[in-house]
């Protein structure tokens, strides 16, 4: 009987599927939106000075030093900052903490595909609203009563960023529920809503160290919001795992925040490479959505995305193909180094 119960509960859940991580020599990996550059040399230095003896102790459970650093970095108070084991964990805890209404939460039909997984997992009702024909989110869709809103800005996998006025409109029309803005890609040309947390006590902004800071391997994410929201996040965290961010991750995340010039150099390098790639693709007959992220979303005028995906894979270049309605003829391509993108263009020239 017990066995049957848990089968019924979990059989329905389709877990999140991340970009594949194959072990293949000479692979050019443009499928998981990872950063092609290493983290700051300061991170390397900090890693070399880790005292292994200290690892016998639990980490700081309130990650005080990292939270101080993040508060300082964004001009906030520590009571406005929460950190977790990757932004996926922060988002998961936030869904659990804030989406408890009978009314469905609302998010776009095409967005980060982890949201429906958490809704199933935590049994949160949800509705999705279709992006318009140019793959933009329509802010008016989020005016009807709902149990909360989650918006990825810039959105994924479309890469399109919206200005803070757009987020403000959603906040103004949803004062009684929590609005989560997932800014995983904001550093690559998006507009952050962090400054709006002073004005809106219903706004939670989520960031990650995985993309722009080249630290996907250490799993650090953060969120920013009104002190009351952050207190609830801490209650939920401390009811699940009091020590989510380990000693090594805390130390390396701090070292990354200490190197603003390296951070801005690699972000600019990626933006430049992105713009060059978009131009080269245009010459080959691709139409690419305007990107504010470290990836592009592109479609070819005559060759189907699936065929291009298969061709690239034969050339050991891995991109992301989604076999889904509306976006099935698009490819999501992470921006790598200039040399990696040259290899991509050369491979596409052979096909086209
Ligand atoms: C990558 C990504 C995340 C998760 O990042 P982690 O911090 O590595 O867990 C969250 N949201 C979006 C939209 C992402 O693309």
């Amino acid at each position: 009987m017990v066995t049957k119960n848990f089968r019924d509960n979990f059989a329905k859940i389709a877990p999140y599927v991340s970009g594949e991580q194959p072990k293949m020599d000479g692979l050019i990996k443009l499928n998981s939106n990872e950063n092609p550059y290493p983290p700051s040399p300061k991170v390397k230095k900090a890693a070399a000075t880790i005292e292994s003896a200290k690892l016998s102790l639990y980490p700081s459970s309130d990650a005080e030093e990292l939270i101080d650093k993040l508060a300082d970095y964004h001009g906030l108070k520590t009571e406005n900052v929460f950190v977790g084991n990757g932004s996926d964990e922060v988002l998961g805890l936030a869904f659990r903490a804030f989406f408890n209404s009978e009314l469905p939460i609302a998010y776009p039909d095409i967005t980060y595909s982890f949201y429906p997984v958490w809704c199933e997992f935590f049994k949160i009702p949800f509705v999705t609203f279709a992006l318009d024909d140019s793959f933009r989110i329509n802010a008016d869709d989020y005016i009807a009563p709902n149990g909360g809103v989650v918006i990825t800005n810039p959105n994924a996998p479309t890469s399109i960023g919206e200005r803070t006025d757009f987020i403000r409109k959603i906040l103004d029309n949803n004062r009684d529920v929590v609005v989560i803005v997932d800014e995983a890609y904001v550093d690559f040309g998006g507009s952050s809503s962090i400054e709006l947390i002073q004005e809106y006590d219903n706004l939670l902004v989520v960031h990650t160290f995985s993309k722009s800071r080249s630290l996907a391997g250490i799993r650090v994410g953060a969120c920013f919001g009104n002190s009351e929201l952050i207190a609830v996040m801490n209650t939920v965290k401390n009811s699940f795992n009091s020590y989510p961010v380990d000693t090594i991750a805390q130390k390396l995340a701090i070292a990354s925040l200490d190197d603003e010039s390296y951070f801005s150099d690699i972000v600019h390098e990626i933006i430049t490479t992105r713009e060059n790639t978009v131009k080269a693709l245009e010459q080959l007959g691709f139409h690419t959505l305007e990107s504010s992220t470290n990836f592009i979303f592109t479609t070819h005028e005559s060759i189907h995305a699936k065929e291009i995906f298969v061709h690239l894979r034969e050339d050991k270049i891995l991109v992301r193909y989604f076999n889904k309605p509306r976006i099935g003829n698009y490819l999501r391509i992470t921006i790598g180094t200039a040399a990696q993108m040259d290899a991509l263009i050369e491979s596409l020239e052979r096909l086209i």
Side-chain angles (χ1 to χ4, degrees), residues 86-88 91 112 115 152 156 182 184-185 208 210-211 219-220:
S87 67
D88 281 341
L91 285 160
Y112 189 37
Y115 305 150
T152 305
D182 181 351
Y185 299 103
T208 177
S210 298
K211 315 282 167 50
R219 316 300 305 126
V220 178

Side-chain angles (χ1 to χ4, degrees), residues 121-136:
F121 190 57
F122 296 127
K123 307 197 188 312
I124 300 165
F126 66 95
V127 286
T128 59
F129 291 103
L131 299 185
D132 71 14
D133 290 341
S134 47
F135 291 115
R136 303 283 292 264

